[in-house]
Amino acid sequence: MTARLIPAACDATGRREQPLRITVNGEPLDGIAGQSIAGVLLAAGRPSWRTGPSGAQRGLFCGIGACFDCLVTINGDRDVRACLRRAHDGDTVHTQRRDGAHHSGDQDASTVPRDSDSPDGSVL
Amino acid sequence: MTGRQVAVVGAGPAGLAAARAALGAGAEVTLIDAARQLGGQYHRTPPEEYAASRPEALQHGWPAFAKLRRELLGHPRCAWWPETSVWALERRDPGQQGPPRVHLLRGPADGSHRVRQILEPDALVLACGAHDRVLPFPGWELPGVFTAGAAQTLAKGERLMVGEQVVVAGSGPFLLPVAASLVEAGSRVLAVLEANPAAVLARGWSRKPWQLAAQLGKAGELIDFTGQLVRGRVPFRTGRTVIEARGAGRVEEVVTARLRPDWSVVRGSERTLAVDAVCVSHGFSPQLELPVAAGCALRGTPGAQFVQTDARQRTTADGVWAAGEITGIAGAPAARAEGAVAGWYAGGGSPAARALPALRRSRDQGRDFAARLARAHPIGAAWPGWLGPRTLVCRCEETDYATLCRAVQEQPGAAARTAKLATRAGLGPCQARVCGPTVTELAARLRGAAPDAVPADGLPAAGPHHRPFAQPIRLGELARPPEPPDAAPEHHGA
């Protein structure tokens, strides 16, 4: 087992749930309104979604936007910190990698440059 | 009303106190934070969408926080700007007085359609806070290894439990509330491992015990946490830490070992524990890019630097005040006192105000507490003993310890800049936020020099906190002209 959301029924904060759905590399993933993109991924049993320069798996590390380990592409915007970005129903998420290889099974991959040294310098 | 415009960056305990004090002095306040909610990391609350009926269940001091939040959100002279990042501070031309211009991006984190705005306040209060410092160890890059702060943020802010079987390790009193959050969220915390031995903790904590009484709120909190841990039957061990995380694609087990007081590993004391998450913190790194960009002088030694302030919380930069963890890691009570002092003066308040002596006392007690913390939870000098040649030092660029050693030893006279370019350590997306203090410390040790020694190759050392772009901005956003200060961001509240 791994990370999971505290069930609303036994949550001490007495929260309510409003479902939402995002897609990750085309695959639908269910979450609840208010979660971050990283929260949706972790709660869905995905501990990692990015690969480092060597191809090693990476997930969320600092959780507050300092380490940039959790970068994803959201609705076409590259290099979004998944821990900081709130999930919205219908968000299209693509995972990123830094080893220069392409995503497997990801149609957009050939047009997606590597992060940090992307030719269009999309993020400074 | 003084009519002064005060911008407060950071809405944690220090920033909130600064905003209230500046309003009290009669100023107009713009309170800025990257998060969607007030409170910072300390008062992390579930998102509005969760519609929590009992948000106070997870908070210490909830009534005071809720009252302050109401007061600020309802104040006619206070503008609250959530989801707002300061991406640059532009200093005035030489000879011109006043704080730097504040360049902002407003809208969802790292989005491409954020609104650019520029503030030109009369005074700037920086209360940017800190993030966990984590020393590297073999396997710390594996998914499932989290900073302690991440585990707590996810538990309190999203109601997410990071793992079923968790070990909490590192050093400092922060390990306890994190473990308590994990237990509350439903994790089984196998152990809380404080690296410092009991004798060091006792020396730090028991010296001048009357000082502790002044921080009763803090001590009460710790007693609360300890109570929760005892009820949860969590073992608290001193003089032991996690020296390795192992697993295929994610953490599956950790190796823990006994440490001597200097944090050298006692060989033969290793034990293996099956886990699905590890939460680590060895203290905090202050977020110094904005103070450095504003031109504030720092104090301390490289790797342990803070913003230098005077008795009024003024920095060395004209019109810039600082409060909270960026001036020293001292916890919420001290941050609040510093924030109140900073906000009062930044707002043009009178130095003769009656409340000031009590605030200054509270701040000084907080600083004593910080000194006590530093004594009780030092980082042992022998910690690099648990690094292997292939242990990653820089997570972004995957620079390992052997590569760093080679780069420094091949060019023993070279500046940090040369080692950085040769190894790429610190040049990745995080811009050395995570590895900066560690690379500085390791490189200095490998050279056998003091970390602040003058480099031989003539270039001034690039300060580890110097980031011309404090936060990422997209070229498209940069190319668009800034909006007038009163424009509302397109995605506000989206």
Side-chain angles (χ1 to χ4, degrees):
Chain A
M1 278 301 286
T2 178
R4 63 176 163 81
L5 209 55
I6 298 167
C10 54
D11 189 330
T13 67
R15 71 165 204 270
R16 278 191 304 243
E17 290 192 351
Q18 232 177 293
L20 60 78
R21 177 169 286 187
I22 63 173
T23 64
V24 178
N25 297 339
E27 189 192 321
L29 224 54
D30 290 323
I32 58 170
Q35 281 182 297
S36 63
I37 294 287
V40 173
L41 286 159
L42 287 169
R46 297 191 179 207
S48 61
W49 49 86
R50 182 168 165 269
T51 53
S54 68
Q57 296 290 305
R58 294 294 178 86
L60 177 139
F61 179 60
C62 82
I64 59 168
C67 79
F68 293 70
D69 245 8
C70 66
L71 298 178
V72 289
T73 299
I74 300 181
N75 305 330
D77 290 340
R78 287 188 56 78
D79 299 335
V80 177
R81 285 168 282 182
C83 67
L84 295 184
R85 176 66 79 87
R86 214 46 63 176
H88 288 101
D89 195 42
D91 276 346
T92 309
V93 178
H94 286 94
T95 55
Q96 294 185 192
R97 49 196 309 160
R98 285 198 85 206
D99 58 358
H102 297 312
H103 306 248
S104 54
D106 181 351
Q107 304 254 312
D108 302 333
S110 58
T111 61
V112 175
R114 290 172 60 186
D115 65 20
S116 85
D117 49 358
S118 51
D120 65 350
S122 56
V123 171
L124 292 166
Chain B
M1 265 181 61
T2 59
R4 273 167 73 84
Q5 306 277 337
V6 177
V8 178
V9 179
L16 295 179
R20 169 149 69 183
L23 290 166
E28 304 215 1
V29 171
T30 308
L31 179 58
I32 295 159
D33 198 285
R36 296 199 315 162
Q37 287 165 296
L38 290 173
Q41 307 305 338
Y42 184 81
H43 292 292
R44 176 70 75 153
T45 51
E48 279 161 30
E49 291 90 335
Y50 280 22
S53 55
R54 296 181 297 278
E56 70 280 5
L58 305 175
Q59 293 279 335
H60 283 272
W62 176 265
F65 169 63
K67 181 169 169 282
L68 178 54
R69 192 171 63 169
R70 265 198 315 278
E71 189 185 320
L72 294 177
L73 293 178
H75 200 290
R77 279 184 281 114
C78 184
W80 158 233
W81 289 14
E83 290 198 297
T84 300
S85 304
V86 180
W87 66 271
L89 291 176
E90 181 194 350
R91 290 189 221 172
R92 306 283 169 142
D93 293 331
Q96 278 193 322
Q97 297 288 299
R101 286 184 191 87
V102 183
H103 290 259
L104 301 166
L105 285 167
R106 303 180 65 189
D110 299 335
S112 56
H113 299 287
R114 291 173 293 180
V115 170
R116 253 185 82 194
Q117 282 178 319
I118 300 172
L119 285 181
E120 301 198 34
D122 300 308
L124 175 64
V125 180
L126 296 175
C128 322
H131 56 80
D132 291 89
R133 176 164 185 208
V134 177
L135 299 175
F137 55 90
W140 72 309
E141 71 281 11
L142 283 173
V145 179
F146 299 96
T147 68
Q152 199 184 40
T153 295
L154 290 167
K156 286 169 76 170
E158 299 208 21
R159 309 304 287 140
L160 183 103
M161 178 192 89
V162 294
E164 301 268 355
Q165 310 259 2
V166 188
V167 167
V168 178
S171 185
F174 184 52
L175 300 180
L176 296 174
V178 169
S181 287
L182 287 163
V183 169
E184 190 278 332
S187 297
R188 186 162 165 244
V189 178
L190 303 180
V192 178
L193 305 178
E194 161 63 52
N196 282 297
V200 174
L201 299 184
R203 261 205 308 281
W205 285 96
S206 63
R207 194 183 295 175
K208 299 189 194 166
W210 61 90
Q211 287 176 351
L212 206 55
Q215 296 286 316
L216 256 185
K218 199 83 199 160
E221 244 176 64
L222 290 180
I223 290 163
D224 260 19
F225 292 134
T226 314
Q228 285 179 42
L229 293 179
V230 170
R231 281 195 298 280
R233 294 173 200 281
V234 174
F236 179 76
R237 297 221 167 82
T238 55
R240 186 167 267 279
T241 201
V242 169
I243 58 163
E244 186 176 355
R246 296 174 181 159
R250 58 158 308 152
V251 65
E252 290 163 346
E253 60 180 36
V254 289
V255 180
T256 74
R258 199 140 53 79
L259 298 182
R260 297 186 189 87
D262 66 353
W263 293 22
S264 55
V265 174
V266 177
R267 294 296 163 191
S269 68
E270 293 89 346
R271 251 182 260 159
T272 304
L273 285 170
V275 297
D276 56 6
V278 194
C279 305
V280 192
S281 173
H282 296 99
F284 293 94
S285 296
Q287 311 207 108
L288 294 177
E289 53 270 86
L290 293 182
V292 167
C296 305
L298 304 181
R299 61 175 180 84
T301 51
Q305 286 182 307
F306 298 98
V307 179
Q308 183 186 320
T309 57
D310 67 8
R312 298 180 178 189
Q313 297 303 127
R314 219 168 18 183
T315 71
T316 57
D318 189 47
V320 183
W321 281 257
E325 308 293 56
I326 57 173
T327 73
I329 304 301
R336 279 187 206 107
E338 286 191 354
V341 172
W344 179 257
Y345 285 115
S350 157
R354 276 199 207 149
L356 281 171
L359 280 175
R360 276 198 293 264
R361 256 197 316 279
S362 169
R363 175 193 62 194
D364 295 344
Q365 283 160 351
R367 287 182 179 169
D368 289 342
F369 184 74
R372 177 186 289 273
L373 275 187
R375 270 199 307 275
H377 301 276
I379 289 181
W383 73 266
W386 67 56
L387 297 176
R390 302 189 59 192
T391 306
L392 299 191
V393 174
C394 167
R395 299 168 62 92
C396 295
E397 295 299 318
E398 295 183 340
T399 308
D400 62 26
Y401 186 45
T403 305
L404 183 71
C405 292
R406 241 185 351 262
V408 174
Q409 279 152 5
E410 279 168 12
Q411 296 172 293
R417 182 193 298 272
T418 315
K420 201 157 112 172
L421 293 175
T423 65
R424 292 196 58 79
L427 293 176
C430 98
Q431 291 288 292
R433 283 177 176 86
V434 177
C435 71
T438 300
V439 171
T440 305
E441 181 190 337
L442 290 175
R445 279 168 187 245
L446 291 164
R447 273 196 299 273
D452 51 354
V454 179
D457 63 2
L459 282 169
H465 309 289
H466 178 69
R467 296 181 189 99
F469 294 92
Q471 287 291 318
I473 176 171
R474 289 173 198 278
L475 284 180
E477 291 173 321
L478 197 54
R480 279 197 292 274
E483 306 277 333
D486 53 350
E490 286 167 44
H491 291 272
H492 179 71

